[in-house]
Amino acid sequence: MPEMSEATLHEQRTAASVRLERVLIALAILALVAAPFFVYPIFLMKMLCFALFACAFNLLLGYTGLLSFGHATFYGAAAYFCAYAVKAWGWPPEAGILLGTAGAAVLGLVMGFLAIRRQGIYFSMITLALAQMFYFFCVQAPFTEGEDGIQGVPRGTLFGIVDLNVTLNMYFFVLAVFLLGVFAVWRIVNSPFGMILRSIRENENRAISLGYSVGRYKLAAFVMSAALAGLAGATKAIVFQFATLTDVTWQMSGEVILMTLLGGIGTMVGPVVGAGLVVGLENTLATSGFPVTIATGLIFMICVLVFRRGIVGEIYARFLAPAGGEGGRAQ
């Protein structure tokens, strides 16, 4: 009977967690649809691009347990590929975004193949080293135009119908891309493949003993995460009409880690909340004269001390965990 009671309580907690996520997502979608009529659309588009980037990173860290220090490679590479194809080759924006996403996936395949051979901090340092190699490649490559970056990228016309130079059209296109990307993450996480990824995160040796090819699953997760990060980067290139070295620096990789940690690792909504917090803070302090990095660091310290599982992760732990249990979905 105690076991049945514990199992029932766990099922109730899981159901409550799913309901909470659905309510939060529904409210968030409604808010985002109405937001451009009340908030500066460019700020919102920047937030959505970073939120998708954070969700892509969370797929790797939160659900697979792999900490990458080089995810800016995929974000920035996709921005470069998309910007160059649209500006130099005259491709439509949707084709440029697809090229950027595919290019990021190929880079993810190469980097992942090399990195997953190691675990823990060794994996993280390999991703950082490879990301720095790609950064120096971007510094020297002619098509990136060095420190100036690729500027003046035309937004063009979506499918030959929708003029993306109209701000509201651009916003709702970015919103659609964001929702598509988040849905892809949700579908991956809630599939049998996603359950295997969680088992690898929880106990890799047990997953191996059950006969799973852990290396292949890690590589697949790495490529999927890279592709979604590339989708965010390519969309960003169309929104802001440029791609620069800032997109491939290690600071960008650190920023997406910060967003994910602040929001809550291993939650669907957490990275979005973290991205909104960081981007909003940067936008607010941009003209204040107060160093943004110091403010971000202070908020991160406070969140680590008060919200150890991240903001959304702490909400799950405090309001959905059974009494005396571990609590929290985020690991």
Side-chain angles (χ1 to χ4, degrees):
M1 290 299 293
E3 293 183 0
M4 287 294 294
S5 177
E6 184 178 350
T8 302
L9 191 57
H10 181 268
E11 290 178 1
Q12 291 176 348
R13 183 177 64 131
T14 302
S17 174
V18 172
R19 287 196 298 271
L20 176 61
E21 277 195 348
R22 288 177 178 175
V23 170
L24 290 175
I25 291 172
L27 292 175
I29 292 174
L30 291 175
L32 289 173
V33 170
F37 300 101
F38 304 97
V39 183
Y40 187 44
I42 298 297
F43 163 74
L44 294 173
M45 287 188 277
K46 179 180 180 180
M47 184 194 72
L48 290 175
C49 290
F50 274 108
L52 179 56
F53 186 22
C55 288
F57 177 77
N58 187 50
L59 174 63
L60 190 66
L61 176 61
Y63 294 102
T64 315
L66 298 176
L67 174 59
S68 169
F69 286 157
H71 244 53
T73 296
F74 315 121
Y75 181 82
Y80 274 123
F81 296 155
C82 177
Y84 187 82
V86 172
K87 182 179 180 180
W89 297 341
W91 284 22
E94 65 274 13
I97 290 174
L98 288 176
L99 176 65
T101 304
V106 172
L107 280 175
L109 180 63
V110 175
M111 286 182 60
F113 179 78
L114 297 173
I116 63 169
R117 298 171 182 271
R118 294 294 181 265
Q119 298 179 353
I121 189 63
Y122 302 105
F123 169 86
S124 301
M125 296 310 296
I126 289 174
T127 58
L128 176 61
L130 293 172
Q132 287 301 100
M133 290 174 60
F134 185 79
Y135 168 78
F136 288 115
F137 166 78
C138 291
V139 172
Q140 300 294 331
F143 82 95
T144 64
E145 301 185 23
E147 294 183 357
D148 294 331
I150 303 176
Q151 302 183 27
V153 179
R155 287 183 176 178
T157 306
L158 183 65
F159 303 120
I161 301 175
V162 182
D163 185 7
L164 294 183
N165 291 299
V166 178
T167 303
L168 280 180
N169 291 346
M170 186 73 243
Y171 172 79
F172 284 111
F173 171 65
V174 174
L175 178 59
V177 171
F178 167 74
L179 293 176
L180 178 64
V182 172
F183 175 77
V185 174
W186 177 85
R187 189 68 189 89
I188 292 168
V189 168
N190 291 279
S191 67
F193 175 81
M195 296 301 295
I196 295 172
L197 293 183
R198 295 190 193 196
S199 69
I200 293 172
R201 179 196 65 186
E202 297 296 335
N203 195 323
E204 184 172 336
N205 291 329
R206 180 171 293 181
I208 294 173
S209 69
L210 292 174
Y212 293 113
S213 180
V214 170
R216 292 183 180 179
Y217 281 98
K218 284 184 177 181
L219 181 59
F222 197 93
V223 173
M224 292 176 185
S225 178
L228 290 168
L231 178 62
T235 305
K236 170 261 171 192
I238 297 296
V239 171
F240 293 99
Q241 299 181 275
F242 62 79
T244 66
L245 290 174
T246 303
D247 300 326
V248 292
T249 58
W250 64 266
Q251 290 94 334
M252 183 64 72
S253 296
E255 194 164 346
V256 75
I257 294 174
L258 175 64
M259 293 174 184
T260 308
L261 291 176
L262 286 178
I265 299 173
T267 63
M268 289 297 300
V269 183
V272 180
V273 174
L277 178 63
V278 173
V279 174
L281 185 65
E282 291 177 351
N283 184 72
T284 302
L285 298 178
T287 58
S288 67
F290 190 82
V292 176
T293 52
I294 294 178
T296 305
L298 289 174
I299 290 179
F300 179 67
M301 291 174 58
I302 293 171
C303 287
V304 167
L305 294 174
V306 180
F307 305 106
R308 299 186 62 183
R309 301 174 181 87
I311 297 172
V312 175
E314 200 66 33
I315 292 173
Y316 283 135
R318 294 193 177 186
F319 295 101
L320 299 177
E326 292 179 323
R329 295 180 55 194
Q331 301 296 324

